[in-house]
Amino acid sequence: WYQRRVHGKQWYQRRVHGKQWYQRRVHGKQWYQRRVHGASMGVMNPSKVMKNIIPVVMAGILSIYGLILCVILYGAVAKAEYTLYEGFAHLGAGISQGVSALASGMAIGVVGDSGVRANGQQPKLFVSMVLILVFAEAIGLFGLIVGILVGTGGAPYACGWDV
């Protein structure tokens, strides 16, 4: 019955204007997201660029944790007698450090993205962003500590292929 009350061209015009209103709403949201994005921070406020690089640097530190564990475990692999237990201990050390770095990296990514956007809107949130990033980085550090303890510990049991 809507088409009967509004005839021909009027019905078409109302339909188009409704669609344009919806498109304006969507474009308005996209404009808001572009305005606050971390990459545009240098254009909006160049003094905040170095502050907003902190999540990127903290994510790079996680790879250094893996390198530290690799160097520590490499000394144990170079010896002449390498037991099965040591091989599995080193595998466990690498997996524990790798999985904790993965979890920490995901947390830093989520917090860093949200924190940079929030810092663009409200500069007072910078300290809380850094605090949350430090706690997310601690997950990777704990993984490094567990990896070192597992990888360098002595063999409590004799594992081997004794026949």
Side-chain angles (χ1 to χ4, degrees), residues 46-150:
S47 64
K48 291 185 180 179
V49 172
M50 293 309 289
K51 281 183 164 183
N52 291 327
I53 280 185
I54 290 176
V56 177
V57 172
M58 292 184 85
I61 292 172
L62 295 173
S63 63
I64 295 172
Y65 291 163
L67 185 65
I68 291 170
L69 184 66
C70 179
V71 168
I72 290 172
L73 295 181
Y74 181 72
V77 175
K79 65 182 184 178
E81 187 179 318
Y82 190 67
T83 64
L84 185 64
Y85 176 82
E86 290 173 338
F88 280 115
H90 293 163
L91 176 68
I95 288 175
S96 69
Q97 202 279 324
V99 170
S100 67
L102 180 69
S104 179
M106 290 176 68
I108 288 172
V110 171
V111 172
D113 180 46
S114 302
V116 166
R117 290 175 190 260
N119 190 23
Q121 293 292 321
Q122 180 61 259
K124 293 179 183 178
L125 296 173
F126 177 73
V127 175
S128 60
M129 177 189 76
V130 171
L131 186 65
I132 295 171
L133 284 171
V134 166
F135 286 131
E137 182 79 24
I139 298 170
L141 183 63
F142 293 151
L144 173 67
I145 293 169
V146 168
I148 291 172
L149 290 176
V150 169

